[in-house]
Amino acid sequence: MTTADAAHAGEKFLRDMHNRAPEAMSRYVTAHPMADGRTSYQFLAERVAGAQRVLDLGCGDGSLLAVLARGGATGLAGVDIAAGGLAVARARPELADADLREARAQDLPFAEDSFDAVVCHMALMLMADVERVVAETARVLRPGGTLAVAVGGRAAEGSGLELFLKLARPLFAKRPVPPIGDRRTRSRDGLNELLAAAGFAPITWEEIILGGSGTPEKVWKTAVEKYYDTATLAAEELTALRREFLQRARALTERESITRGERLAVVTTRLLTSR
């Protein structure tokens, strides 16, 4: 399989998943607030506070754009490869004037210097040809504009998510999903290298923990929705995995609930005035 074929297969897989469950990510984010009650959408939006013209790469169902709208941004735009999420976003009253387009981040349908800020929540790490994504982001962002990106981290120790991954990874390895994303987008050094090449300043790297708790059944549901790999499992494998997870989760706590727990990295940088 060529690199282009692999990228196409990965994007098709993601598009199909997001069309089937366009609100899965926003449900996950809502169910996993930080200790102070803020969601990762709110935390990311605060990194571009004051920006009026904001583009969301991989905007999904528009949840992050809605947070930005409530914060006072008026020139909102979003792109996504899945029509299902965009349909939900277009139905949001606060996004009635937003420019929402079905498009790839590798080929943004906007003019140079169109935005004061660009945001991306848990999507950059899934994109192929990430150098082109970063170059396109720099092209549509005004000099001095802000880029704020949330990328997936690791499960917090002792959390329900850590337990889920411990049990699920051997199964995922047997039926891997198509190649998705670029490992460099998940590390500080990798992102610094990618962004510097496109004219961005050294990044600020902040780690946050998504907390909250729930019954083992609720933690199971959100974990299954979060990980695309579960779609590759046979029904009997998923049933057996659920049974083992619930048994082990209940043994971890004397209470009715278990901590969910995931670490995210929020990366912020600015486009240098001289490209």
Side-chain angles (χ1 to χ4, degrees), residues 44-59 64-65 68 72-79 99 108 110-121 136-149 200 267-271 275:
L44 189 62
E46 289 168 5
R47 270 62 204 152
V48 297
Q52 289 298 304
R53 302 175 302 159
V54 186
L55 169 65
D56 185 1
L57 302 179
C59 65
L64 175 54
L65 286 171
L68 291 162
T74 56
L76 294 172
V79 296
D99 186 355
L108 293 173
F110 304 106
E112 293 182 5
D113 304 343
S114 291
F115 300 101
D116 304 313
V118 175
V119 294
C120 185
H121 185 278
E136 279 287 273
T137 300
R139 181 182 66 79
V140 303
L141 188 61
R142 68 166 175 80
T146 301
L147 171 64
V149 178
F200 286 93
V267 172
T268 310
T269 183
R270 292 188 178 274
L271 185 65
R275 301 184 189 179

Side-chain angles (χ1 to χ4, degrees), residues 250-271:
R250 289 169 182 143
L252 282 177
T253 177
E254 296 177 357
R255 302 183 300 276
E256 292 296 321
S257 63
I258 185 173
T259 302
R260 288 166 173 159
E262 179 180 10
R263 295 179 184 271
L264 296 189
V266 175
V267 172
T268 310
T269 183
R270 292 188 178 274
L271 185 65

Side-chain angles (χ1 to χ4, degrees), residues 20-39:
R20 285 197 296 271
E23 297 175 275
M25 175 55 74
S26 60
R27 286 196 298 268
Y28 183 83
V29 169
T30 300
H32 292 71
M34 298 163 58
D36 62 9
R38 288 178 297 171
T39 67

Side-chain angles (χ1 to χ4, degrees), residues 76-140:
L76 294 172
V79 296
D80 203 280
I81 60 172
L86 289 167
V88 177
R90 291 183 180 119
R92 294 180 182 274
E94 61 266 66
L95 300 184
D97 297 324
D99 186 355
L100 303 173
R101 307 197 197 188
E102 187 175 347
R104 300 175 73 239
Q106 294 85 348
D107 296 289
L108 293 173
F110 304 106
E112 293 182 5
D113 304 343
S114 291
F115 300 101
D116 304 313
V118 175
V119 294
C120 185
H121 185 278
M122 302 285 280
L124 180 65
M125 62 191 194
L126 304 176
M127 295 177 183
D129 196 3
V130 70
E131 289 94 347
R132 186 172 177 85
V133 174
V134 171
E136 279 287 273
T137 300
R139 181 182 66 79
V140 303

